[in-house]
Amino acid sequence: MTTTASTAAVDALVDWDLAVAAATRLTRPGPQVSRAEAADVVAVLRADARRSTPLVEQVTGLSTQPGEDVLVVDRPGWVRANVEAFRTLLAPVVEEAAGRRGGSLAPLVGAVGSRVTGAEMGSLLAFLSSRVLGQYDVFSSGGGRLLLVAPNVVHAERELAADPADFRLWVCLHEETHRVQFTASPWLRDHLTARVRALVSDLLDEPGAVLDRVLDALGRLPDVVRGDAATGLLDVVQTPEQRRALAEVTAVMSLLEGHADVVMDEVGPSVIPSVATIRRQFSRRRSGRGAPDRLLRRLLGLDAKMRQYADGAVFVRSVVDDVGTTGFNRVWDSPDTLPTPEEIADPAGWVARVHG
């Protein structure tokens, strides 16, 4: 990757090329398809993404411009896109952290090492690359863009024995909902970016303390693996203040994911005849991963995060039932109207606070 003055610091902290190389090497191959089949999948996903825009607007009551760029990628392409997004997200944070130390990155780089960091990031991205069906890449350098991972969509529809036409549109509805959320609420991207960068900045200001907490967390690893620990390793290495900040970011993510889940199901059988069957099969697939998958989710505390995403859908449905779609859309007014972590579990509390 090309290093500039604004990326020099973050490039010293993470070996991005190694991250891409490691992830590409470790990423499992996708399902077998012919060249013609692959071209057809790409064309259908692009068309379904465009088709999704008016359907999402009809359900949500939100209005925005149709999406221009839909990037249909393979697994290595998804890795490269996310490495670029992480680099863009972290570059100003690391540069500021280095500036506070007179330009020296020694405490940051010395705590772990750029190649170790790059290899670890590559391993995690390789694991995720076969599971992500799509995403709205809010942190990319050119603004948000819609990514759809074609081999994962094909793999999932085959595994579920789902109708390909229905399943592909269903996936696109979820990801297009995210695009509409961010483009209809222009402040949301800057707000989420600022909150994530603040979390990272806080960790970079105390690399030695973080390393101490990591070493302490490793002592609890057997309990986490057995499922006896109440939290994952990510929770253990954070201070109470950092856990609260992460909970607030997670509440926003719960809202976004829950809202997208509701929209993709609310479009209904008149558009996706097998929508109820797809949801039932997909939920069973999501909870029925193998032992390695469950172990990594436990280590990272992702099981709790997944439950919070389910809570997000409950929050959305409850608020819509109470005050209607227009009343729910107050969540998009400003950062002050976003639900707190407590309100995600207490929709009536959010309604009382925002609507009086």
Side-chain angles (χ1 to χ4, degrees), residues 77 147 177 198 259 288 299:
L147 301 177
T177 299
H259 186 227
L299 290 172

Side-chain angles (χ1 to χ4, degrees), residues 300-321:
L300 298 178
L302 296 180
D303 281 332
K305 302 298 185 291
M306 290 175 67
R307 288 193 295 272
Q308 286 175 304
Y309 286 174
D311 290 344
V314 173
F315 172 86
V316 172
R317 290 191 173 95
S318 178
V319 172
V320 170
D321 287 345

